[in-house]
Amino acid sequence: MKFYRKSSEEVMEILDVSIDGLSEQEVQKRRLEHGYNKLDEAKGDTPIKVFMDQFKDFLVIMLILAAIISAALGKYESTIVVIFVVVLNAILGTVQHIKANNSINSLKALSSPVSKVLRDKMKKEIPSNELVVGDIIFFDAGDYISADARVIEAHSFQVNESSLTGESESVTKEIEAISQNDVSIGDMKNMVFSGSYVTYGRGVAVVTDTGMKTEIGKIASMLENAKARKTPLQETLDNFGKNLSIAILIISGIIFIIDILRDKAIIDSFMFAVALAVAAIPEALSSIVTIVLAFGTQKMSKSNAIVKKLNAVESLGSISVICSDKTGTLTQNKMKVQKLWVDNNIVDSDEATDQSLINKLIQFSVLCNDAIVSGDSNIGDPTEIALVNLGNEHNINEQVTRNAHPRIFELPFDSDRKMMSTVNAYENSKLMITKGAVDTIINKAHKILTSNGVEILNDEVKAKIKHDNNSLAKNGLRVLAFAYKEYKNESRPKLEDEDELIFMGMIAMMDPPRPESKKAVADCILAGIKPVMITGDHKITAIAIAKQIGIINDETEALEGHEIEKLTDDELYNIVENISVYARVSPEHKIRIVRAWQKKSMVVAMTGDGVNDAPALKQADVGVAMGITGTEVSKEAASMVLTDDNFATIVKAISSGRSIYVNIKNSIKFLLSGNAAGIFSVIFASVAGLAAPFAPVHLLFINLLTDSLPAIAIGLEPHDESIMKEKPRKRTDSIINKEFIKQVSTKGALIALVTMTAYYIGFSSGSHLVGSTMAFATLCLSRLFHSLNCRSKASVFKIGVLSNIYVILSIIVGSLMLLFVMNYPPLMTTFEVSKLDISQHLSVIGLSLIPLVAVQIYKLIKDNNSTSYEQMDKVNNLSDVA
């Protein structure tokens, strides 16, 4: 029911309520029909269910099967290691899930504890959750509104609806019906909504909706239904894990059949096939990715970006669109005077072409004003607070001024006449000071104050005032006009006394952009990220702010909520890339915009601070809430919170996300190239008819112990700032592409070559056990050294050998672990290794260094060629300039 289109009398009739309020009997009846005025609680999974869900991954299932088979065959060390890694990964996933958002419960906290209602002809206070449809509810300044209601009385009644619309400016409520059919929440001036609060005046309304049927309840429903998507890396690793597991099963099966055909014992053949599968599957991959992401979040928290969900770090790196709320995110969330109009001229607020006229205008704006500003405490309407702050900037203190010119009478602001007047004592007389809409004030004025004194306000000057007012409004400024006259009566003024005024001037204000927003937007564009403004504010204001900070150049790039309403999802999908500003939007519109971008395979970030932003924050790939001005709901729904409310911090976070993604990719490259080396070695031995070069426990030791530390260390590689000059990758871009597979295969083959060379040396000089030991040691050590190759595309000499000390430490620790296993007798038996002499040790070290040296020589040549091309480009550019 569109109650805003009905008169207050019609609404009362539809809801079957009289001016005496509801009876207690009727209240009970309606409560049975509509329920209590509260939001439904979200039903979350139990920790046990969340923990069990962690084992549904195909790769994890394969590892569990391998562990069970290992245990059945008596290879308990393999079982213990695999199960340890799988359980650790499940625990990490469970803890992360339990910390996830609790948005619906936060929404409940917004409800006011008590409400003033009329029941059985008596005014009483009741708990807000006991409100029912048809209750007549009373509001005074400072009251929270706990249900949606149609206003039936309004006395200078102003409501702050920022939690729903995102706009800080209070809305003046009216009682007249609205004729338009499709009206946004911000324009329903005869309705009040749950979750908002009264800033000025008083009002009476009749409850039209409660609980989940309120606007805030609808947001709660959307929040519950908004789907959190997997990150691009998660999707890639999931698909890769399935494909890799299937391929490994096939390879292991082939090796098993070959061994059986060569009369090898079935149990030994099967155990080796299982060991090969375990060795080939990067068991520690999920844990390593989680650990690297966790380190990334710690570092980002020091830069004022608190990441609540680890996967959001990776998503940050692939963001291609930022849908940003305007108020409080791109702007300062406080009104500030920008321009003054005095003596037929527009001047900046800090200019003083005629100090006396400007001071008088500012002085009168402080007197005709109810706001109180004391330190960090601001009480009153945002526009009036801006006027008081303007006075302070010009050394016109509110208390001193008001004490010197005390208020005698007042005519409060009224939405019908769009004016407010006060009568103040002023220089042995009384002055009526009036402020209001420009068109209204100019029609009430017959003279104007100029530097030459008071003159007749002729049609030419009126036309100039109207022209300048329109010019200011087109720039997104809210304009107030001021006038005065001498008041000679002793009695309280009447509305008809607001006439024959002397026009003083105009004051124009706006919620200005944050100083850092313009640079942050420019950085986004440089990084190939499209910034999009989504706001509940008016289109003119949104366009003005967007032009100032560089989001748009042309007004055709802006769209209003009522225009979105007329578009189908397909039509919105077709134009979304051409629109950079959305104004007067509802929460539903925000979700549609985010989904339209996601449908184009874009990774979308959504910033916001209000309750109205929460569903879109959850729907987005990365929801970013404001930590200072943000509501608890927005923080809970978001995956990242900015502790400084600084839009520029998002850009830093994106830079960190991109670097972390590259580091994770390099870690995966390190793990898979090492695993490929093991697979190639086994396949070569099998095809050549040789005995298996490794015992199953060798492969487990390498895969689960010596590989993990270097992989984590690579993930901690310092950030490269030049990464923000690259375009963001698309969601459809896979981390495992042809180039990636080529590099993994080539380097894996190189490591396999030196490994099998070591096996031949050991086998020819001693026995199979010596050959197997040398192959094991070479594979282990060469993989440790290979971590230096995987740090970056560039050579270690260009990025600095010691610039990542963690990699060096991981090589040292891994080498010591290997040394301990090969020389401590009890472990030598467990890990099936033989004692090596000095020459064999030297052979292992020399062979292990070959892949490192070969790759670094290749990278040095590549670095030198790149430098030469860069120098040639610079010379060509200089020639072009010359």
Side-chain angles (χ1 to χ4, degrees):
M1 177 69 71
K2 296 180 179 179
F3 289 105
Y4 62 85
R5 297 193 68 196
K6 307 291 183 182
S7 68
S8 55
E9 292 80 9
E10 289 175 320
V11 172
M12 298 280 282
E13 184 178 345
I14 292 169
L15 298 177
D16 192 21
V17 59
S18 71
I19 57 172
D20 296 329
L22 298 173
S23 65
E24 287 299 331
Q25 184 179 0
E26 183 65 23
V27 167
Q28 296 302 324
K29 179 182 176 183
R30 296 187 183 207
R31 185 168 296 130
L32 287 174
E33 182 181 353
H34 300 285
Y36 278 89
N37 179 35
K38 62 180 183 178
L39 301 177
D40 296 341
E41 293 187 31
K43 294 181 180 179
D45 294 333
T46 63
I48 294 176
K49 185 179 185 302
V50 173
F51 180 76
M52 297 306 296
D53 285 345
Q54 306 301 313
F55 296 95
K56 291 181 178 179
D57 183 78
F58 185 75
L59 192 115
V60 172
I61 292 172
M62 288 300 306
L63 290 175
I64 293 173
L65 287 174
I68 292 171
I69 294 169
S70 296
L73 297 175
K75 301 292 183 177
Y76 299 112
E77 67 277 3
S78 301
T79 302
I80 292 170
V81 172
V82 173
I83 293 299
F84 173 78
V85 172
V86 169
V87 172
L88 175 63
N89 187 61
I91 291 172
L92 288 171
T94 303
V95 170
Q96 199 59 38
H97 189 281
I98 290 173
K99 289 182 178 179
N101 78 68
N102 191 24
S103 304
I104 302 299
N105 292 333
S106 296
L107 279 163
K108 289 177 63 183
L110 285 176
S111 300
S112 171
V114 293
S115 296
K116 300 187 287 283
V117 299
L118 184 69
R119 287 185 179 171
D120 290 324
K121 300 181 183 180
M122 292 180 61
K123 189 175 179 180
K124 59 173 69 175
E125 283 191 348
I126 64 168
S128 293
N129 66 351
E130 294 183 6
L131 285 172
V132 297
V133 172
D135 260 329
I136 294 176
I137 187 168
F138 299 85
F139 301 110
D140 295 296
D143 286 347
Y144 270 89
I145 297 168
S146 304
D148 290 2
R150 172 65 163 84
V151 179
I152 57 177
E153 283 186 37
H155 306 278
S156 301
F157 187 31
Q158 297 181 13
V159 177
N160 186 302
E161 297 174 344
S162 60
S163 63
L164 283 167
T165 65
E167 300 312 311
S168 58
E169 186 178 323
S170 295
V171 178
T172 300
K173 294 300 178 179
E174 305 168 351
I175 63 172
E176 287 76 16
I178 298 172
S179 59
Q180 291 96 320
N181 191 34
D182 294 312
V183 179
S184 65
I185 290 175
D187 292 323
M188 292 183 191
K189 295 187 177 181
N190 56 11
M191 298 286 296
V192 292
F193 302 99
S194 179
S196 53
Y197 63 93
V198 182
T199 58
Y200 191 81
R202 58 188 179 87
V204 182
V206 57
V207 175
T208 56
D209 288 295
T210 59
M212 295 299 289
K213 292 182 180 179
T214 62
E215 291 299 327
I216 203 171
K218 293 173 185 175
I219 292 176
S221 298
M222 287 189 291
L223 194 58
E224 198 172 24
N225 296 327
K227 297 180 179 179
R229 305 204 301 172
K230 287 189 175 183
T231 69
L233 181 58
Q234 279 181 307
E235 292 176 349
T236 297
L237 292 182
D238 283 349
N239 293 331
F240 175 72
K242 290 177 183 178
N243 295 333
L244 179 65
S245 298
I246 292 170
I248 289 168
L249 283 176
I250 294 172
I251 294 172
S252 297
I254 293 171
I255 297 296
F256 174 72
I257 292 170
I258 291 174
D259 284 346
I260 294 298
L261 293 176
R262 288 178 176 162
D263 296 327
K264 191 174 181 180
I266 293 178
I267 291 180
D268 291 340
S269 300
F270 187 76
M271 189 58 217
F272 187 77
V274 170
L276 177 62
V278 172
I281 298 174
E283 297 89 352
L285 182 57
S286 296
S287 297
I288 287 169
V289 169
T290 301
I291 291 167
V292 171
L293 290 173
F295 274 112
T297 62
Q298 290 179 11
K299 186 174 182 180
M300 289 168 68
S301 67
K302 296 176 183 177
S303 300
N304 301 311
I306 306 297
V307 177
K308 295 172 56 191
K309 302 170 186 176
L310 290 182
N311 294 329
V313 180
E314 181 268 319
S315 289
L316 275 168
S318 56
I319 284 173
S320 47
V321 179
I322 298 181
C323 295
S324 175
D325 184 37
K326 176 183 72 67
T327 305
T329 308
L330 292 167
T331 65
Q332 299 175 23
N333 197 23
K334 62 180 181 181
M335 298 296 284
K336 189 177 188 306
V337 174
Q338 305 288 319
K339 302 286 185 181
L340 302 175
W341 189 99
V342 288
D343 201 19
N344 286 318
N345 289 305
I346 297 175
V347 297
D348 289 333
S349 62
D350 55 356
E351 284 189 24
T353 54
D354 186 313
Q355 192 65 47
S356 63
L357 284 181
I358 288 178
N359 279 352
K360 196 165 188 176
L361 176 61
I362 296 172
Q363 183 187 56
F364 282 16
S365 75
V366 172
L367 291 173
C368 186
N369 192 318
D370 291 321
I372 299 173
V373 176
S374 178
D376 294 331
S377 177
N378 298 332
I379 303 172
D381 184 83
T383 57
E384 292 195 333
I385 291 171
L387 296 174
V388 173
N389 286 331
L390 175 66
N392 290 330
E393 291 170 11
H394 286 77
N395 298 315
I396 300 174
N397 180 268
E398 60 177 294
Q399 292 302 323
V400 173
T401 303
R402 291 170 183 173
N403 290 337
H405 309 288
R407 184 182 298 184
I408 303 170
F409 301 116
E410 69 174 283
L411 287 171
F413 177 84
D414 184 271
S415 57
D416 289 332
R417 70 186 209 286
K418 298 179 181 178
M419 291 191 301
M420 169 187 179
S421 295
T422 62
V423 176
N424 296 76
Y426 200 88
E427 297 177 359
N428 300 320
S429 65
K430 295 192 292 289
L431 289 184
M432 173 182 277
I433 305 170
T434 303
K435 75 174 179 189
V438 176
D439 291 342
T440 304
I441 296 292
I442 205 171
N443 289 332
K444 296 283 187 179
H446 70 297
K447 293 182 180 180
I448 183 170
L449 180 65
T450 71
S451 55
N452 297 321
V454 177
E455 299 178 348
I456 298 296
L457 182 58
N458 56 43
D459 291 341
E460 184 180 347
V461 177
K462 282 186 179 182
K464 174 76 162 59
I465 293 171
K466 291 179 180 179
H467 174 271
D468 290 348
N469 174 44
N470 290 334
S471 176
L472 291 168
K474 285 181 179 178
N475 286 312
L477 296 170
R478 182 183 181 189
V479 186
L480 288 175
F482 290 83
Y484 73 101
K485 75 173 183 178
E486 186 176 357
Y487 187 74
K488 298 179 179 180
N489 298 337
E490 295 298 326
S491 59
R492 181 177 297 277
K494 299 176 182 178
L495 295 183
E496 51 264 29
D497 290 324
E498 293 176 321
D499 203 1
E500 296 187 351
L501 302 173
I502 301 171
F503 192 87
M504 285 193 69
M506 297 182 288
I507 297 180
M509 63 193 76
M510 73 184 309
D511 179 10
R514 290 177 176 271
E516 64 278 0
S517 290
K518 187 172 184 177
K519 183 181 184 303
V521 167
D523 289 343
C524 284
I525 294 171
L526 180 65
I529 301 167
K530 182 177 179 66
V532 177
M533 178 191 289
I534 304 179
T535 177
D537 207 346
H538 292 282
K539 188 176 182 179
I540 292 175
T541 305
I543 289 173
I545 294 293
K547 283 184 176 179
Q548 286 186 45
I549 60 180
I551 288 181
I552 65 170
N553 297 312
D554 192 273
E555 295 181 7
T556 58
E557 299 174 53
L559 207 64
E560 280 194 313
H562 69 87
E563 296 173 288
I564 299 174
E565 202 71 45
K566 297 174 184 177
L567 297 174
T568 65
D569 288 342
D570 288 338
E571 288 171 337
L572 181 60
Y573 170 85
N574 290 331
I575 67 167
V576 71
E577 289 180 299
N578 301 320
I579 306 298
S580 299
V581 172
Y582 297 88
R584 304 305 277 174
V585 295
S586 67
E588 293 93 337
H589 297 152
K590 293 181 181 182
I591 285 189
R592 286 186 64 196
I593 294 164
V594 171
R595 285 175 176 165
W597 278 111
Q598 289 175 333
K599 195 176 177 182
K600 288 183 175 289
S601 299
M602 298 294 184
V603 180
V604 183
M606 171 74 192
T607 73
D609 58 1
V611 176
N612 63 309
D613 297 318
L617 288 173
K618 188 174 181 181
Q619 175 66 40
D621 298 282
V622 181
V624 185
M626 302 296 111
I628 299 173
T629 60
T631 59
E632 192 63 27
V633 183
S634 65
K635 294 175 190 176
E636 290 293 339
S639 47
M640 187 173 82
V641 179
L642 305 184
T643 59
D644 60 355
D645 284 16
N646 192 331
F647 184 78
T649 302
I650 302 172
V651 181
K652 294 179 185 176
I654 290 173
S655 177
S656 296
R658 286 189 177 188
S659 293
I660 290 170
Y661 180 83
V662 170
N663 291 346
I664 288 175
K665 184 176 180 179
N666 289 336
S667 293
I668 296 172
K669 190 182 296 181
F670 165 75
L671 289 171
L672 296 185
S673 57
N675 286 7
I679 294 172
F680 291 157
S681 298
V682 171
I683 291 174
F684 177 80
S686 181
V687 172
L690 302 172
F694 313 111
V697 72
H698 292 165
L699 299 174
L700 287 170
F701 175 84
I702 296 171
N703 218 32
L704 298 178
L705 298 178
T706 59
D707 270 3
S708 299
L709 287 177
I712 294 170
I714 292 169
L716 303 180
E717 188 72 23
H719 292 176
D720 181 2
E721 296 301 327
S722 65
I723 201 168
M724 285 301 283
K725 295 179 181 178
E726 300 175 7
K727 300 295 180 184
R729 67 188 182 280
K730 292 184 178 180
R731 171 174 282 278
T732 52
D733 290 347
S734 174
I735 194 172
I736 315 293
N737 51 33
K738 289 182 180 179
E739 180 61 27
F740 183 92
I741 294 172
K742 178 183 175 183
Q743 290 184 28
V744 166
S745 302
T746 303
K747 292 169 184 175
L750 184 58
I751 295 172
L753 178 62
V754 297
T755 299
M756 292 310 297
T757 302
Y759 176 80
Y760 271 110
I761 292 173
F763 182 77
S764 61
S765 62
S767 64
H768 166 71
L769 182 60
V770 174
S772 177
T773 302
M774 287 188 68
F776 162 59
T778 303
L779 180 60
C780 185
L781 203 57
S782 60
R783 287 173 74 161
L784 287 172
F785 291 151
H786 181 55
S787 62
L788 290 168
N789 291 331
C790 294
R791 284 178 55 192
S792 170
K793 293 179 181 178
S795 69
V796 292
F797 302 103
K798 185 174 182 178
I799 63 176
V801 177
L802 300 177
S803 59
N804 186 346
I805 194 65
Y806 300 110
V807 170
I808 304 300
L809 290 174
S810 69
I811 294 173
I812 294 172
V813 171
S815 300
L816 290 175
M817 288 172 63
L818 176 64
L819 191 64
F820 189 54
V821 164
M822 293 182 64
N823 291 279
Y824 183 57
L827 289 180
M828 290 174 66
T829 303
T830 302
F831 282 91
E832 301 179 29
V833 295
S834 171
K835 189 79 173 178
L836 301 181
D837 58 32
I838 295 176
S839 63
Q840 290 168 336
H841 274 296
L842 291 174
S843 295
V844 167
I845 295 171
L847 288 168
S848 299
L849 286 170
I850 289 174
L852 172 64
V853 174
V855 172
Q856 288 303 312
I857 289 173
Y858 170 77
K859 287 188 175 184
L860 275 173
I861 295 171
K862 195 174 179 181
D863 289 346
N864 289 334
N865 288 338
S866 298
T867 303
S868 299
Y869 286 130
E870 287 176 7
Q871 290 175 344
M872 288 175 63
D873 287 340
K874 288 180 180 179
V875 171
N876 291 333
N877 290 336
L878 288 173
S879 300
D880 292 339
V881 172

